Amino acid sequence: MAMEWQRARPFCELPRDGVFNFLRKFLPGGRYYNLDSTQLVMAMKEEYGNIYKVPGMMGRPDTVVTHHPDDFERVLRNEGIWPIRPSSATLRYHRSKLRAEFYEGVEGTIATQGEQWSSFRSVVNPILMQPKNIKMYQKKIAEVNQEFVNRIRLIRNPETLEMPDDFEEYLQRWMLESVAVVALDKQLGLLRDDSENYEDALKLFSALTDFFTLTFDLEYRPSLWRIVATPKFKRLMKALDDIQCITWKHTTEAIVKLEVERQQGINRTEREQSVLEKLLKIDKKIATVMAMDLLMSGVDTTGSLAVGVLLCLAKNPEAQEKLRKEVKRVLPQKDGDFTTDALNNIPYLRACLKETLRVYPLALGNIRMPQNDIVLSGFRVPKGTVVSMISATLLQSERHYPQPKVYLPERWMRHGKEDKQQKSETAVCVGAAKASNPFIYLPFGVGPRACLGRRISDLEIELGIARLVRNFHIEFNHPTEKVFKGMLINMPNVPLKFKFVDIE
């Protein structure tokens, strides 16, 4: 390492712009004006190359941006036992400064670092990362999905069978209902018109959308919020207040319900206790903040993934039909129940989800602060430097994926699990379709800071897509250019006028 460090070019030689010239590009008429997150990183890559330095300004430090997968590996192998992910500064301000009296130092996993992050994660990991604790929700989430299928039949145009322009709202309802089953230990009834929780839900949808859009504006574009409370900053703080207030209301209701059950002598075994109940027994504040984090990270993200899967299946009818045959084996009746081991027998569905995240990645990549001096792409990068690893630009590159423009779920199938009737030439194609580097495709992160809600997301999306494919032939007869807009995550950017045709 010492020899490599000596041979490497100094940090100051990284391609970069001066602060004022860089700022000017974000103004009207400038190169970066009004670009979304994906367009922004593509424009910067074109201008500066595969590695460059974004100048620090307005209280924000310099950031090294790299598009090279070998750099990703070096950074992630130098993250230490307490990886520092220096993002979500606005959320950290809300929890540690603005509403410190509420959080009392218990600030979750999204915006915390070091020992504070580790102590919280060590409490919730054994509960949220164990498959048996999440699988207990299979039946309840399956019921939510059946309600969504019924709702689709009610709201689609009876002649064209297409969804209305506001179908995205129904998708949000579906996802919030699914997450609430785990995070709040209750169904909110959002897929029914008479839900008493609908007003809260609308407020929460608006707050979550503001969280993703405003966080991008404040943290990834030049902003004065660290110096003065800008209008967008105030809107974001209001959105975070709403999320806090609504979550606290429903968590408190769950606590009261559990206390009443305890007084009535109702005692569930460890296996029967919900995630929320287990967390409440440890600490009421931890349970509340964890519920908040699950809602913030699980509604829009899983919703965007669902849209991506539906688009890929609609545009690739052969893959959709192959998936339907697989689902029919574990769900013979359209409105039947999944067996307890159904999700262990749907390898092609999981391959479809993985391929969707390659075609429509949810985020640009990962961000870390290396704990040691490191050499990236031949440049010295001192420890403690913020490094942004952009993988989204590589996922459809011929340099890293054979046939990158082809939707090919088979590339993710393990040997021996492909359809036995698959042609040999396709099998050869599949074997050669893997990524050139394992650090390119990390949609849920990696290491100690990998996504805490992944198992919940997997359960929701697998059960949901299986139910939809079993009930409907899915079409999307509209252009798909710019179907997503890059914010903190990629979010739908067009009316989601899917066509759902009943399967006989």
Side-chain angles (χ1 to χ4, degrees):
M1 174 62 190
M3 287 288 292
E4 184 185 34
W5 181 266
Q6 290 299 322
R7 290 196 303 265
R9 297 171 65 182
F11 185 63
C12 62
E13 291 185 9
L14 271 164
R16 64 169 293 168
D17 230 332
V19 172
F20 292 110
N21 193 41
F22 186 72
L23 279 173
R24 192 163 56 242
K25 293 176 183 177
F26 286 90
L27 298 175
R31 182 167 185 173
Y32 306 152
Y33 179 67
N34 242 4
L35 298 184
D36 69 17
S37 60
T38 304
Q39 294 166 336
L40 183 60
V41 297
M42 289 299 291
M44 288 185 179
K45 182 185 180 189
E46 185 179 322
E47 189 166 1
Y48 305 113
N50 283 327
I51 186 168
Y52 51 90
K53 183 163 51 174
V54 174
M57 67 194 92
M58 303 174 187
R60 189 169 62 184
D62 287 349
T63 299
V64 172
V65 180
T66 175
H67 295 256
H68 202 292
D70 289 343
D71 291 343
F72 305 170
E73 180 174 2
R74 289 193 168 210
V75 171
L76 293 169
R77 292 194 187 282
N78 280 276
E79 63 178 4
I81 58 170
W82 294 343
I84 298 176
R85 187 176 62 192
S87 56
S88 304
T90 45
L91 178 62
R92 185 160 57 249
Y93 178 88
H94 182 267
R95 293 184 176 182
S96 65
K97 304 288 186 190
L98 192 64
R99 298 290 177 251
E101 77 287 348
F102 175 85
Y103 290 95
E104 301 174 318
V106 180
E107 297 168 25
T109 62
I110 298 175
T112 52
Q113 312 293 348
E115 190 171 0
Q116 184 187 25
W117 164 82
S118 179
S119 61
F120 188 96
R121 183 110 187 194
S122 65
V123 172
V124 299
N125 258 17
I127 296 172
L128 283 169
M129 299 301 276
Q130 283 192 23
K132 66 178 182 179
N133 289 335
I134 304 303
K135 263 196 167 182
M136 67 178 289
Y137 293 101
Q138 181 170 315
K139 189 173 189 302
K140 287 184 178 179
I141 290 177
E143 290 171 1
V144 170
N145 294 335
Q146 186 60 54
E147 284 190 10
F148 185 54
V149 166
N150 297 338
R151 172 58 63 171
I152 285 174
R153 292 193 173 108
L154 281 173
I155 64 174
R156 66 184 172 183
N157 184 304
E159 295 179 3
T160 66
L161 303 181
E162 284 193 336
M163 292 296 99
D165 287 346
D166 63 348
F167 184 51
E168 184 179 352
E169 183 193 307
Y170 289 94
L171 279 167
Q172 285 181 310
R173 290 201 218 177
W174 173 35
M175 289 305 154
L176 178 53
E177 191 74 50
S178 300
V179 175
V181 165
V182 181
L184 302 174
D185 198 18
K186 67 188 293 187
Q187 285 183 239
L188 301 175
L190 302 177
L191 295 169
R192 302 187 295 272
D193 289 325
D194 58 348
S195 172
E196 62 183 24
N197 297 303
Y198 188 53
E199 192 173 323
D200 274 353
L202 285 178
K203 195 173 183 180
L204 191 58
F205 294 154
S206 176
L208 290 170
T209 299
D210 280 351
F211 169 66
F212 282 106
T213 55
L214 294 172
T215 298
F216 168 68
D217 280 343
L218 293 169
E219 297 191 28
Y220 291 86
R221 297 181 188 275
S223 173
L224 290 166
W225 74 266
R226 289 176 174 85
I227 301 166
V228 61
T230 64
K232 284 186 177 180
F233 175 77
K234 290 177 181 177
R235 275 179 56 204
L236 177 56
M237 294 302 106
K238 173 65 167 57
L240 293 173
D241 279 346
D242 288 345
I243 294 168
Q244 174 187 312
C245 181
I246 294 166
T247 309
W248 178 244
K249 171 188 170 182
H250 288 290
T251 309
T252 303
E253 288 175 0
I255 293 168
V256 171
K257 174 190 164 193
L258 291 168
E259 179 59 26
V260 169
E261 289 179 353
R262 188 189 67 79
Q263 292 175 359
Q264 292 173 343
I266 300 173
N267 290 306
R268 283 178 283 273
T269 64
E270 174 87 13
R271 192 171 182 178
E272 295 171 322
Q273 292 170 12
S274 68
V275 164
L276 183 62
E277 186 174 356
K278 285 177 176 147
L279 288 173
L280 284 169
K281 285 188 173 182
I282 298 169
D283 187 277
K284 180 179 175 182
K285 188 69 70 175
I286 287 177
T288 303
V289 175
M290 190 66 252
M292 216 176 297
D293 282 0
L294 287 174
L295 291 171
M296 291 175 71
S297 59
V299 176
D300 286 272
T301 51
T302 311
S304 286
L305 173 55
V307 172
V309 178
L310 293 175
L311 282 171
C312 287
L313 294 176
K315 294 300 183 181
N316 296 274
E318 290 182 5
Q320 182 180 159
E321 187 54 38
K322 182 174 179 178
L323 174 58
R324 186 172 293 111
K325 286 180 181 177
E326 178 182 78
V327 171
K328 281 183 177 179
R329 290 197 290 267
V330 298
L331 192 64
Q333 301 300 318
K334 289 194 289 187
D335 57 352
D337 293 330
F338 288 95
T339 59
T340 53
D341 65 341
L343 296 182
N344 296 327
N345 296 299
I346 49 169
Y348 193 69
L349 173 56
R350 288 181 174 168
C352 287
L353 300 181
K354 288 181 177 180
E355 182 70 343
T356 296
L357 284 168
R358 184 189 69 81
V359 176
Y360 294 121
L362 286 178
L364 290 171
N366 290 286
I367 188 167
R368 292 289 190 274
M369 187 181 283
Q371 306 297 292
N372 303 294
D373 292 340
I374 193 170
V375 174
L376 301 180
S377 295
F379 291 92
R380 300 174 193 165
V381 177
K383 65 180 181 181
T385 302
V386 178
V387 179
S388 183
M389 298 164 280
I390 307 296
S391 56
T393 56
L394 311 176
L395 293 171
Q396 294 192 55
S397 164
E398 289 185 356
R399 182 176 178 183
H400 300 292
Y401 282 95
Q403 304 178 78
K405 303 300 180 184
V406 179
Y407 181 73
L408 189 64
E410 287 80 3
R411 77 173 81 234
W412 303 101
M413 300 285 282
R414 292 180 182 174
H415 292 298
K417 289 200 173 183
E418 289 92 351
D419 190 328
K420 291 180 181 178
Q421 296 182 348
Q422 194 173 28
K423 293 181 180 179
S424 59
E425 62 185 69
T426 308
V428 171
C429 160
V430 171
K434 298 290 185 181
S436 65
N437 186 304
F439 286 85
I440 292 174
Y441 181 87
L442 297 171
F444 295 96
V446 69
R449 289 205 79 134
C451 177
L452 188 56
R454 178 175 183 174
R455 293 195 184 281
I456 299 169
S457 175
D458 284 347
L459 184 66
E460 291 171 23
I461 203 74
E462 287 172 8
L463 289 172
I465 294 299
R467 181 73 69 180
L468 290 175
V469 166
R470 182 63 187 86
N471 277 267
F472 304 110
H473 177 77
I474 302 156
E475 298 177 24
F476 189 78
N477 302 311
H478 303 276
T480 55
E481 293 82 14
K482 297 183 179 179
V483 71
F484 286 101
K485 184 175 184 178
M487 306 303 288
L488 193 60
I489 61 167
N490 284 326
M491 301 177 74
N493 191 42
V494 297
L496 302 174
K497 297 180 75 66
F498 287 99
K499 181 178 179 179
F500 289 97
V501 183
D502 285 288
I503 299 293
E504 296 300 326

